[in-house]
Amino acid sequence: MSRPPETAGSAGAPGPPAPTGPRPADSPVSRGIERHLVLRAQDGDTTAFEQLISRYQGRLFRTAYMILGNRQDSEDAVQEALILAWKRLHLLREPEAFHGWLLRICTNEATSAVRRRSRHRTDPHDSESLEALDSQAGDTRTRPTGGPASDPARSSEVNAQIQALAEVLSTIRPELSIVWVLREVETMSYEEIAQTLNITASTVRGRLARARSAVIKRMKEWT
């Protein structure tokens, strides 16, 4: 692998849609296709890697946004994650684990960005970025016709909810907010989260309980 493939820039980054719809790798056929693409990409096929990116880039951005609350930071985290994934893809021994492996890289990048930003803290949440994101084409897997993208009033409501959640999540410890996002937004199982974050399922349950308690407390304070 001599160079990473081209990845979509900010103009193509979809906004953080509502957490609905199945994950792209849920069906047996899709999992088989993904395994084939991973094996091809590990042989240096950049087109196969670009196809893998197209399956998950929107979901990676949404997860990063819920952690970081800022469009530019989220795009940067996703781009860094994709470049790192390309460089390390040959180390992935189980092609079926690609989604969790990629998500782990992305959450690590987002967490690192949170820590860097906390050293010179500014307000990262900008409603203008959400409005700009809403005007772009969304991920067709998670924004069906007749859904939020086609209803301006509903879309504004969803964006407001996402922004509020991102602000709440920014007030709790990153290791808690990440578990909350993976469970409540990505709807991952405890076992999947444990594998993604390289922690035990019992640790996931403990962090999730603390995260839920903190989120409820912050939301009550703000209402």
Side-chain angles (χ1 to χ4, degrees):
M1 295 186 183
S2 58
R3 64 177 180 84
E6 294 294 327
T7 54
S10 59
T20 59
R23 273 182 265 164
D26 277 347
S27 72
V29 172
S30 187
R31 286 195 295 270
I33 292 173
E34 179 164 300
R35 176 184 171 83
H36 177 66
L37 290 174
V38 171
L39 292 173
R40 283 173 50 195
Q42 287 180 321
D43 286 336
D45 188 336
T46 58
T47 300
F49 188 70
E50 288 166 0
Q51 291 178 39
L52 288 169
I53 289 173
S54 71
R55 294 163 71 88
Y56 292 116
Q57 189 166 4
R59 303 187 74 91
L60 293 177
F61 180 81
R62 182 180 66 190
T63 299
Y65 186 89
M66 292 298 291
I67 295 169
L68 290 162
N70 176 275
R71 175 184 179 181
Q72 187 60 58
D73 289 348
S74 301
E75 289 177 354
D76 290 345
V78 171
Q79 292 294 89
E80 289 298 321
L82 294 177
I83 291 171
L84 190 57
W86 172 252
K87 292 179 178 178
R88 294 181 178 176
L89 187 59
H90 65 287
L91 300 175
L92 180 63
R93 296 189 177 185
E94 299 180 8
E96 296 82 0
F98 177 79
H99 173 238
W101 176 78
L102 181 61
L103 190 57
R104 180 166 61 250
I105 294 175
C106 184
T107 54
N108 286 341
E109 288 296 326
T111 302
S112 296
V114 168
R115 290 170 180 155
R116 289 193 300 269
R117 194 169 62 194
S118 67
R119 291 196 288 266
H120 40 83
R121 185 79 180 181
T122 56
D123 183 9
H125 306 101
D126 49 66
S127 57
E128 181 180 352
S129 70
L130 283 175
E131 294 172 1
L133 288 167
D134 186 52
S135 68
Q136 298 173 4
D139 187 336
T140 57
R141 289 185 302 270
T142 55
R143 302 184 82 167
T145 302
S150 62
D151 184 344
R154 173 60 179 159
S155 182
S156 296
E157 179 185 348
V158 169
N159 282 344
Q161 292 172 350
I162 291 171
Q163 185 181 357
L165 278 173
E167 290 175 355
V168 168
L169 291 171
S170 72
T171 67
I172 65 178
R173 287 157 45 196
E175 63 267 27
L176 301 184
S177 64
I178 289 171
V179 169
W180 190 94
V181 169
L182 296 182
R183 178 62 177 172
E184 305 296 347
V185 177
E186 286 295 319
T187 63
M188 294 176 68
S189 69
Y190 294 120
E191 290 72 21
E192 287 175 318
I193 296 171
Q195 184 177 20
T196 297
L197 301 180
N198 196 27
I199 58 179
T200 65
S202 61
T203 299
V204 171
R205 290 185 175 89
R207 290 183 183 181
L208 182 60
R210 293 196 296 275
R212 283 172 170 167
S213 177
V215 168
I216 291 172
K217 180 180 178 182
R218 297 297 192 279
M219 293 296 282
K220 286 182 178 177
E221 290 173 354
W222 290 12
T223 55

